[in-house]
Amino acid sequence: MTSYDLALIGFGGVNRTLAELIHTRGDALEAELGFGLRIVAITDLRLGSLVQPEGIDLAVALGLTGDGASFAQHGGSAVPDNEAVIKTCSADIVVEATFTNPDDGEPAVSHVRWALEAGKHVCTTNKGPVALRGRELSELAQRQGVYFEFEGSVMSGTPVIRLAKQMFSGLRLGGFEGITNGTSNYVLGRMEAGLGLQEAVREAQDLGYAEANPSADIEGFDVQLKVLILANELLNAGLELRDITRQGISSVTVQDVRQASLDGKRWKLVGSARRNADGSVTAGVAPVALPLDHGLAGVSGATNAVAFTTDLLGQVTISGPGAGRVETAYALLSDIIAMHAGMTQASSAKEVANA
């Protein structure tokens, strides 16, 4: 049976959860999916690097918690060397889930590039490399004959990119509008319940929904990157980040929220793109007071939704979880499943051609 060796770059919540799934459900997944998964390398800012071509003992790796824990205690290094691990380890697939600077996509852009140049497939949950260097990295993957998958970069475990690409064949997409940031959505919901913006943000932070610095969510930077990904991947827009106008929710007041409620509306941070008559695409992020009967008005909490405008079906909405360790880890697994399906299809086609 086919088996794929993985290198996990970053061992925080998402990649750790993927390792837990492989550790606890590996045999069941192999029986169900038709291929096995083995982790042969892990790098982590806190734990260091561990490379074991015969397969890492995941019980040991997952048990490394608390101060002083290090891969150096188990034959690895206390200091991570992502470049060396990515370029030289025996992994077939590099799973990239590190922190990324939204300004330049680093260090994830380099992680992805090193892997593709080394002839390794890549899946990532990082928005930065896809939004800022997506075309460049996809072209590199194509030249190298490997896969570059990034389903989790927009709506976590909800496969909006893959569903749209596979299920909208034959349709013309006129654009989309969506709610793709659970933190801002939660804050607006709490403001509707009477809290001020800062109070709602603090509550979101206390619950773990918002970062210590919530500006990426509150000021719309997160949605801006996601809109760029969707516009380029699904509308072939060829846009850059500077082309996406951005306004966050910090300008929305409690009075605005109250007035919207009286008017039968609800504030949402909406990311959208539309194809113009000349074929160009206009895209942006802004808070909008939506009528209660609007398809996105009822989307709450961490749930995300994107409504696509199509020529033959009208509006089609994809909705599902937009955050969570398990959900995002599943997105990585779904990327690997897609890679396997593509490789299997290519192999079958080659056998037919050679018959």
Side-chain angles (χ1 to χ4, degrees), residues 78-283:
V79 179
D81 189 343
N82 293 350
E83 182 174 5
V85 170
I86 290 170
K87 289 181 175 181
T88 64
C89 77
S90 60
D92 306 297
I93 301 171
V94 170
V95 185
E96 210 289 335
T98 63
F99 169 80
T100 299
N101 185 330
D103 293 329
D104 58 12
E106 294 293 354
V109 168
S110 291
H111 295 162
V112 173
R113 183 182 293 113
W114 292 334
L116 297 177
E117 289 174 344
K120 296 175 171 67
H121 308 289
V122 177
C123 57
T124 185
T125 58
N126 267 308
K127 295 177 290 293
V130 187
L132 304 179
R133 295 288 184 271
R135 175 173 293 182
E136 169 194 332
L137 294 172
S138 292
E139 290 175 351
L140 174 59
Q142 188 173 19
R143 291 196 302 272
Q144 294 292 93
V146 294
Y147 288 91
F148 174 40
E149 300 288 341
F150 40 83
E151 186 59 67
S153 64
V154 174
M155 280 175 58
S156 184
T158 303
V160 62
I161 299 173
R162 195 167 290 124
L163 273 175
K165 285 184 175 181
Q166 294 177 353
M167 304 306 294
F168 289 173
S169 297
L171 298 176
R172 293 179 180 174
L173 294 183
F176 63 83
E177 55 181 358
I179 296 171
T180 59
N181 183 268
T183 300
S184 61
N185 207 37
Y186 176 84
V187 168
L188 288 171
R190 295 302 290 148
M191 291 177 68
E192 193 171 349
L195 275 65
L197 175 67
Q198 295 305 319
E199 187 179 1
V201 169
R202 284 195 296 271
E203 183 176 284
Q205 290 170 326
D206 291 341
L207 293 171
Y209 296 157
E211 300 291 339
N213 180 354
S215 61
D217 298 320
I218 302 305
E219 299 301 340
F221 293 103
D222 175 73
V223 178
Q224 186 184 32
L225 290 171
K226 293 174 178 177
V227 167
L228 182 57
I229 293 170
L230 290 176
N232 286 343
E233 288 298 314
L234 302 181
L235 298 178
N236 196 28
L239 299 178
E240 297 184 11
L241 191 63
R242 63 174 178 266
D243 300 319
I244 314 295
T245 61
R246 177 188 53 79
Q247 179 185 351
I249 66 172
S250 60
S251 60
V252 179
T253 66
V254 173
Q255 290 72 25
D256 292 331
V257 173
R258 288 173 180 165
Q259 187 59 52
S261 182
L262 292 174
D263 295 339
K265 296 181 178 180
R266 179 170 288 141
W267 283 94
K268 297 291 180 183
L269 184 62
V270 178
S272 63
R274 70 177 185 276
R275 191 178 300 282
N276 304 312
D278 63 359
S280 64
V281 173
T282 301

